[in-house]
Amino acid sequence: MTKKNLTTQLANVTFDGPLLNASGIHCQTSAELADLANTSNLAGIVTKSATLFPRKGNENPRYHDLPYGSINSMGLPNLGYPFYLDYVQQEKAKPTILSVAGLSADDVIEVLSDIQDSKYQGITELNLSCPNVPGKPQTAYDFVATRKVLERVFEFFTKPIGVKLPPYFDLVHFDQIAAVLNDFPITHVNTVNSVGNGLVVDVAKEQVVTKAKGGFGGLGGAMILPTALANVRALRQRLNDNIAIIGTGGVTTGADVFAHILCGADMVSVGTQVIKEGLGVYDRLTQELEALMTEKGYERLADFRGQLREL
Ligand code: SIN
């Protein structure tokens, strides 16, 4: 099989292929990040969403595997943003995306101010969508709050920055979030974060499967693929052309990667399936994607990106 041209562009960065890790997946510690640097067919590394101060995250159990995906309630465990800002400024084998999250708008501004003042010129991603921090809402479900935080960010932030979004489920909400985002010079959206506040019931034990928040947690994996594809498609139809899309959610096969790109994704990130299968998943997904492209006569991602047909 002939190799395909899988290069893709996000902001000022060219990636060798479309695949990324989803933030939170094997990207919290130096050792995990080193593993990602050595993973073939992983075109870029997204760091664990970092907060102003280090966090232990929620109590265990906080991840539970399911036949149809996963539920997690991690609660943003991370080493604090200075660690990740230092990491992305070191010499790198592959491009990085620095993911940051705030427990308040003031936290976001403080973290981004330091990134602005640093030497880092790569892409930052502001996570507006973590569903697992007790007492903290998912900012991007509040369109007024999202606009306000972005107004504050773009008063001073001049480097490439995108946002990580939660899934939306109503066409009006796609219109509303797109209207906000189109008013700002963001590089990309990453869609979707886990489907927040699902509840998995262990019938034998008559109890929940994760500890924090009474068992409510973010759903990922195969079961969220249609939701993820809908969000990629609906946002591609509404966002300015210069806002790229990272499709995240539900990828278990090369055909799923293809479907994300067909819906308009520029890059595709993989979460739950990495936990189930290990880092070799990126080789398998790439082989399956290339085989499908050969079958369909496509040479590059642009040949089919966004070309989903309606009936
Ligand atoms: C978590 O740490 O709880 C998951 C990260 C996220 O959903 O943004």
Side-chain angles (χ1 to χ4, degrees):
M1 190 177 67
T2 52
K3 289 287 287 174
K4 302 295 174 189
N5 178 354
L6 299 182
T7 56
T8 190
Q9 187 81 21
L10 198 64
N12 55 355
V13 182
T14 301
F15 292 80
D16 288 345
L19 297 180
L20 299 167
N21 62 298
S23 175
I25 305 300
H26 210 96
C27 57
Q28 193 179 321
T29 63
S30 297
E32 289 176 342
L33 289 162
D35 288 343
L36 294 185
N38 290 322
T39 297
S40 51
N41 287 304
L42 177 70
I45 295 172
V46 187
T47 57
K48 173 65 187 171
S49 292
T51 48
L52 186 55
F53 300 109
R55 287 174 56 82
K56 287 200 167 96
N58 294 340
E59 267 188 82
N60 285 316
R62 56 190 189 180
Y63 179 89
H64 186 87
D65 193 55
L66 297 162
Y68 44 90
S70 66
I71 183 168
N72 89 82
S73 183
M74 301 302 290
L76 289 176
N78 75 92
L79 302 177
Y81 83 94
F83 169 83
Y84 302 96
L85 181 54
D86 182 54
Y87 168 77
V88 295
Q89 290 181 93
Q90 293 158 20
E91 191 68 27
K92 286 282 156 320
K94 51 183 82 173
T96 50
I97 296 178
L98 173 59
S99 175
V100 296
L103 300 187
S104 69
D106 287 345
D107 279 13
V108 167
I109 298 305
E110 193 169 337
V111 170
L112 291 181
S113 299
D114 268 8
I115 297 172
Q116 175 67 28
D117 292 342
S118 75
K119 293 205 171 74
Y120 181 59
Q121 297 298 335
I123 302 168
T124 298
E125 185 173 281
L126 175 59
N127 181 352
L128 295 174
S129 53
C130 179
N132 300 329
V133 181
K136 298 290 176 190
Q138 290 166 268
T139 304
Y141 280 142
D142 180 337
F143 304 115
V144 175
T146 299
R147 180 177 288 282
K148 277 195 187 140
V149 77
L150 292 177
E151 277 170 356
R152 287 182 68 186
V153 167
F154 286 107
E155 275 171 17
F156 68 91
F157 202 81
T158 57
K159 295 179 173 178
I161 186 167
V163 292
K164 178 91 177 260
L165 297 175
Y168 298 98
F169 302 95
D170 192 294
L171 296 183
V172 170
H173 293 160
F174 289 123
D175 293 341
Q176 290 174 327
I177 189 66
V180 173
L181 298 176
N182 282 336
D183 283 344
F184 297 95
I186 57 170
T187 52
H188 71 277
V189 300
N190 188 334
T191 179
V192 296
N193 207 321
S194 58
V195 176
N197 298 304
L199 190 68
V200 172
V201 173
D202 180 333
V203 170
K205 293 185 180 160
E206 301 181 18
Q207 66 183 21
V208 299
V209 299
T210 53
K211 172 104 176 148
K213 291 178 65 185
F216 289 86
L219 306 177
M223 69 176 132
I224 76 161
L225 180 64
T227 298
L229 294 177
N231 276 260
V232 171
R233 173 76 163 166
L235 290 171
R236 185 65 289 155
Q237 288 171 324
R238 289 164 175 78
L239 291 174
N240 296 338
D241 287 347
N242 59 359
I243 300 177
I245 293 185
I246 300 174
T248 303
V251 169
T252 63
T253 67
D256 299 337
V257 177
F258 185 94
H260 267 274
I261 297 168
L262 197 64
C263 288
D266 295 276
M267 301 198 78
V268 178
S269 74
V270 187
T272 295
Q273 194 60 25
V274 178
I275 297 175
K276 287 177 183 285
E277 189 176 333
L279 294 170
V281 67
Y282 294 103
D283 287 340
R284 178 178 66 78
L285 294 174
T286 301
Q287 282 157 15
E288 290 175 4
L289 175 65
E290 290 191 320
L292 193 56
M293 288 172 65
T294 298
E295 201 179 301
K296 289 171 173 287
Y298 295 132
E299 290 305 318
R300 54 189 68 76
L301 303 180
D303 292 345
F304 60 95
R305 178 177 291 125
Q307 298 302 313
L308 181 67
R309 290 198 288 266
E310 293 185 14
L311 298 178

PDB file of all heavy atoms in Angstrom, residues 212-224:
ATOM      1  N   ALA A 212     -16.284  10.336  43.056  1.00  0.00           N
ATOM      2  CA  ALA A 212     -16.628  11.757  43.238  1.00  0.00           C
ATOM      3  C   ALA A 212     -18.013  12.079  42.673  1.00  0.00           C
ATOM      4  O   ALA A 212     -18.525  11.364  41.800  1.00  0.00           O
ATOM      5  CB  ALA A 212     -15.578  12.627  42.540  1.00  0.00           C
ATOM      6  N   LYS A 213     -18.605  13.126  43.162  1.00  0.00           N
ATOM      7  CA  LYS A 213     -19.872  13.646  42.627  1.00  0.00           C
ATOM      8  C   LYS A 213     -20.962  12.568  42.579  1.00  0.00           C
ATOM      9  O   LYS A 213     -21.761  12.530  41.635  1.00  0.00           O
ATOM     10  CB  LYS A 213     -19.658  14.258  41.230  1.00  0.00           C
ATOM     11  CG  LYS A 213     -18.842  15.541  41.230  1.00  0.00           C
ATOM     12  CD  LYS A 213     -18.621  16.094  39.834  1.00  0.00           C
ATOM     13  CE  LYS A 213     -19.901  16.542  39.168  1.00  0.00           C
ATOM     14  NZ  LYS A 213     -19.690  16.967  37.779  1.00  0.00           N
ATOM     15  N   GLY A 214     -20.948  11.669  43.546  1.00  0.00           N
ATOM     16  CA  GLY A 214     -21.993  10.652  43.608  1.00  0.00           C
ATOM     17  C   GLY A 214     -22.019   9.723  42.414  1.00  0.00           C
ATOM     18  O   GLY A 214     -23.048   9.082  42.141  1.00  0.00           O
ATOM     19  N   GLY A 215     -20.909   9.650  41.685  1.00  0.00           N
ATOM     20  CA  GLY A 215     -20.835   8.724  40.544  1.00  0.00           C
ATOM     21  C   GLY A 215     -21.087   9.376  39.202  1.00  0.00           C
ATOM     22  O   GLY A 215     -20.904   8.734  38.161  1.00  0.00           O
ATOM     23  N   PHE A 216     -21.497  10.633  39.190  1.00  0.00           N
ATOM     24  CA  PHE A 216     -21.685  11.332  37.907  1.00  0.00           C
ATOM     25  C   PHE A 216     -20.307  11.594  37.286  1.00  0.00           C
ATOM     26  O   PHE A 216     -19.376  12.016  37.974  1.00  0.00           O
ATOM     27  CB  PHE A 216     -22.423  12.658  38.107  1.00  0.00           C
ATOM     28  CG  PHE A 216     -23.871  12.486  38.472  1.00  0.00           C
ATOM     29  CD1 PHE A 216     -24.262  12.302  39.802  1.00  0.00           C
ATOM     30  CD2 PHE A 216     -24.851  12.477  37.487  1.00  0.00           C
ATOM     31  CE1 PHE A 216     -25.596  12.130  40.141  1.00  0.00           C
ATOM     32  CE2 PHE A 216     -26.189  12.307  37.821  1.00  0.00           C
ATOM     33  CZ  PHE A 216     -26.569  12.138  39.146  1.00  0.00           C
ATOM     34  N   GLY A 217     -20.175  11.342  35.995  1.00  0.00           N
ATOM     35  CA  GLY A 217     -18.859  11.531  35.373  1.00  0.00           C
ATOM     36  C   GLY A 217     -18.951  11.686  33.872  1.00  0.00           C
ATOM     37  O   GLY A 217     -20.017  11.529  33.265  1.00  0.00           O
ATOM     38  N   GLY A 218     -17.805  11.971  33.267  1.00  0.00           N
ATOM     39  CA  GLY A 218     -17.740  12.229  31.826  1.00  0.00           C
ATOM     40  C   GLY A 218     -17.670  10.929  31.039  1.00  0.00           C
ATOM     41  O   GLY A 218     -16.857  10.058  31.321  1.00  0.00           O
ATOM     42  N   LEU A 219     -18.524  10.818  30.031  1.00  0.00           N
ATOM     43  CA  LEU A 219     -18.564   9.622  29.187  1.00  0.00           C
ATOM     44  C   LEU A 219     -17.657   9.802  27.978  1.00  0.00           C
ATOM     45  O   LEU A 219     -17.605  10.884  27.376  1.00  0.00           O
ATOM     46  CB  LEU A 219     -19.991   9.371  28.688  1.00  0.00           C
ATOM     47  CG  LEU A 219     -21.084   9.283  29.765  1.00  0.00           C
ATOM     48  CD1 LEU A 219     -22.448   9.113  29.107  1.00  0.00           C
ATOM     49  CD2 LEU A 219     -20.795   8.150  30.739  1.00  0.00           C
ATOM     50  N   GLY A 220     -16.931   8.729  27.631  1.00  0.00           N
ATOM     51  CA  GLY A 220     -16.080   8.772  26.443  1.00  0.00           C
ATOM     52  C   GLY A 220     -16.126   7.448  25.714  1.00  0.00           C
ATOM     53  O   GLY A 220     -16.823   6.513  26.118  1.00  0.00           O
ATOM     54  N   GLY A 221     -15.378   7.379  24.617  1.00  0.00           N
ATOM     55  CA  GLY A 221     -15.281   6.126  23.880  1.00  0.00           C
ATOM     56  C   GLY A 221     -16.406   5.942  22.877  1.00  0.00           C
ATOM     57  O   GLY A 221     -17.177   6.869  22.580  1.00  0.00           O
ATOM     58  N   ALA A 222     -16.528   4.706  22.380  1.00  0.00           N
ATOM     59  CA  ALA A 222     -17.397   4.400  21.233  1.00  0.00           C
ATOM     60  C   ALA A 222     -18.793   4.993  21.364  1.00  0.00           C
ATOM     61  O   ALA A 222     -19.364   5.480  20.394  1.00  0.00           O
ATOM     62  CB  ALA A 222     -17.480   2.892  21.042  1.00  0.00           C
ATOM     63  N   MET A 223     -19.347   4.983  22.567  1.00  0.00           N
ATOM     64  CA  MET A 223     -20.747   5.431  22.714  1.00  0.00           C
ATOM     65  C   MET A 223     -20.951   6.907  22.366  1.00  0.00           C
ATOM     66  O   MET A 223     -22.078   7.324  22.117  1.00  0.00           O
ATOM     67  CB  MET A 223     -21.245   5.161  24.136  1.00  0.00           C
ATOM     68  CG  MET A 223     -20.597   6.008  25.200  1.00  0.00           C
ATOM     69  SD  MET A 223     -21.323   5.698  26.813  1.00  0.00           S
ATOM     70  CE  MET A 223     -19.854   5.479  27.800  1.00  0.00           C
ATOM     71  N   ILE A 224     -19.864   7.704  22.353  1.00  0.00           N
ATOM     72  CA  ILE A 224     -20.069   9.138  22.081  1.00  0.00           C
ATOM     73  C   ILE A 224     -19.710   9.524  20.641  1.00  0.00           C
ATOM     74  O   ILE A 224     -19.752  10.705  20.295  1.00  0.00           O
ATOM     75  CB  ILE A 224     -19.343  10.049  23.099  1.00  0.00           C
ATOM     76  CG1 ILE A 224     -17.831  10.127  22.830  1.00  0.00           C
ATOM     77  CG2 ILE A 224     -19.613   9.605  24.534  1.00  0.00           C
ATOM     78  CD1 ILE A 224     -17.173  11.338  23.502  1.00  0.00           C
TER      79      ILE A 224
END
